[in-house]
Amino acid sequence: MDQYSILGRIGEGAHGIVFKAKHIESGDIVALKKVPLRKLDDGIPNTALREIKALQEIEENQHVVKLREVFPHGTGFVLVFEFMLSDLSEVVRSADLPLTEAQVKSYMLMLLKGVAYCHDNSIMHRDLKPANLLISESGHLKLADFGLARVFSTDEGRQYSHQVATRWYRAPELLYGARKYDEGVDIWAVGCIFGELLNNSPLFPGENDIEQLCCVLRILGTPTEKTWPGMEELPDYNKITFPENPPIPLEKVVPDASAEALDLLKKFLVYPSNRRISAAEALLHPYFFTAPLPAHHTELPKPQRSKKFRHRGGHQKEYDVDVPLEHTLLDPDSIAAYV
Ligand code: ADP
Ligand code: MG
């Protein structure tokens, strides 16, 4: 820890506090993420180890944030990342105008490349959302926050926690309590992010879990065994019934989107996970090959990190029930120095 001097506090999420720091020897600016290590009741290490394992597993990719080193600290770990100027939620929020079609294409291309790379390496991120997509000084987008990431197995019987992903981006199978799911949960989140970039506002902004399902069902229509085979077997299917309603055409929901954008969006937001387009397939969609072509990174909004430290929560609460929310790692001195 004494190889770094802390310059300030950048952010705080569900799993840790992130500081901006300087590596004293090289002068490099980095982000330090302090994460507590806590064993769950069954002895399985928690999110800190998952994040480390996932990031080490995927080595290096242009669209995944680089983990420089990891060291134990107090009762947990410090993860040292390349420093990124901003994140996509901040870029969207601070943009005066909605992003242009070329800019949206460029972000979607980088997002899909990162996701395709993870899926290719059997990793599902499970918490894709604008705040976890970091933007570098040069305008590049990289996937970050692998705190909920899992190495997925091809073992059919494998069960996972359904309490993953921030609510607005949570796939319908998770909302119905599925414990067997796959990387399609990331594709759903990609669809939500795409809709948000196109509309400049979140697609399914549910205020609680029930309302979240209502938001999805209102737009995509109430699912049936025909549109979603196997739905009736989901754990929470019988706990709640919604009045039947037909889907609203997506062109009404995202009125300014081009025909190609709508076609791709429809392929992400499909009830059965196995019918969602894969990230690799999506990269070949005509959307990316028709004018306007994806913007060059120099034509993307110049990211600026807001001075004011944002607290977790705000208008959107983090929702990660299977992770510890307290920061056992921080000693009182460092808290006093930065709050
Ligand atoms: P959490 O699991 O707590 O959400 P994140 O890894 O998402 O942790 O980090 C929280 C916030 O800190 C991010 O939304 C981002 O704004 C900021 N942050 C994270 N990593 C970096 C980084 N490498 N460079 C700059 N800022 C970062
Ligand atoms: Mg995060």
Side-chain angles (χ1 to χ4, degrees):
M1 194 65 193
D2 47 10
Q3 301 167 45
Y4 293 92
S5 64
I6 293 194
L7 303 175
R9 182 161 159 168
I10 310 170
E12 176 185 354
H15 321 120
I17 298 189
V18 182
F19 295 94
K20 181 177 181 178
K22 186 158 120 177
H23 184 234
I24 296 165
E25 197 183 313
S26 64
D28 291 348
I29 302 296
V30 297
L32 300 181
K33 182 172 174 181
K34 295 182 168 190
V35 279
L37 179 68
R38 242 187 25 184
K39 290 218 169 176
L40 304 179
D41 294 343
D42 54 6
I44 298 166
N46 78 345
T47 57
L49 285 188
R50 274 190 208 151
E51 176 153 14
I52 296 164
K53 188 164 188 306
L55 282 165
Q56 283 176 341
E57 199 101 3
I58 50 186
E59 308 237 319
E60 217 153 292
N61 179 270
Q62 215 191 332
H63 300 293
V64 173
V65 73
K66 188 169 160 37
L67 179 65
R68 289 172 54 127
E69 65 167 320
V70 183
F71 50 85
H73 179 73
T75 55
F77 283 98
V78 173
L79 279 62
V80 184
F81 293 102
E82 60 177 319
F83 179 74
M84 304 282 284
L85 255 193
S86 190
D87 61 63
L88 192 61
S89 70
E90 215 156 354
V91 167
V92 171
R93 204 169 335 110
S94 59
D96 298 333
L97 299 167
L99 298 170
T100 65
E101 186 167 13
Q103 289 173 331
V104 173
K105 278 187 195 180
S106 182
Y107 283 134
M108 286 304 294
L109 204 56
M110 294 188 278
L111 168 60
L112 284 167
K113 282 182 184 171
V115 174
Y117 184 79
C118 292
H119 290 179
D120 211 30
N121 285 279
S122 303
I123 288 182
M124 42 182 172
H125 184 285
R126 304 200 303 178
D127 196 14
L128 293 175
K129 59 175 173 177
N132 287 338
L133 305 174
L134 303 184
I135 308 291
S136 74
E137 192 164 10
S138 56
H140 288 103
L141 178 152
K142 301 189 189 203
L143 272 55
D145 197 357
F146 284 72
L148 284 179
R150 285 296 295 258
V151 177
F152 55 80
S153 99
T154 43
D155 167 11
E156 288 273 309
R158 185 67 183 268
Q159 301 210 355
Y160 310 106
S161 164
H162 63 288
Q163 302 286 17
V164 298
T166 307
R167 187 184 308 114
W168 295 355
Y169 307 92
R170 198 177 302 155
E173 62 271 28
L174 298 172
L175 294 167
Y176 275 116
R179 296 202 158 248
K180 285 182 199 165
Y181 54 87
D182 54 31
E183 66 273 33
V185 299
D186 287 342
I187 299 299
W188 179 272
V190 165
C192 298
I193 296 166
F194 189 25
E196 185 163 342
L197 292 179
L198 292 168
N199 255 359
N200 222 19
S201 71
L203 205 51
F204 305 124
E207 295 206 346
N208 54 54
D209 289 2
I210 302 292
E211 220 210 285
Q212 188 62 39
L213 261 178
C214 290
C215 282
V216 173
L217 269 51
R218 203 180 306 126
I219 292 180
L220 294 191
T222 321
T224 61
E225 264 299 308
K226 191 154 169 274
T227 56
W228 189 356
M231 166 189 73
E232 287 171 9
E233 275 112 65
L234 290 171
D236 296 341
Y237 174 74
N238 287 319
K239 288 197 191 147
I240 180 158
T241 46
F242 294 95
E244 260 183 50
N245 71 284
I248 302 173
L250 274 184
E251 30 279 83
K252 291 224 168 75
V253 181
V254 191
D256 298 327
S258 66
E260 285 84 12
L262 285 167
D263 186 74
L264 180 56
L265 184 63
K266 280 178 199 160
K267 293 186 156 89
F268 293 131
L269 300 176
V270 179
Y271 281 126
S273 174
N274 61 3
R275 291 190 199 158
R276 290 175 203 148
I277 192 171
S278 72
E281 281 165 345
L283 284 165
L284 302 174
H285 191 275
Y287 173 65
F288 295 109
F289 302 96
T290 42
L293 292 176
H296 188 256
H297 66 92
T298 53
E299 295 161 343
L300 293 171
K302 271 277 146 253
Q304 267 173 5
R305 183 163 288 285
S306 54
K307 296 262 176 340
K308 209 171 121 268
F309 167 65
R310 278 183 294 116
H311 272 283
R312 170 162 56 86
H315 63 295
Q316 188 199 352
K317 293 262 191 313
E318 297 275 348
Y319 186 93
D320 295 312
V321 178
D322 68 340
V323 299
L325 292 175
E326 70 270 33
H327 307 290
T328 49
L329 228 186
L330 281 179
D331 53 274
D333 284 342
S334 61
I335 295 176
Y338 296 104
V339 289

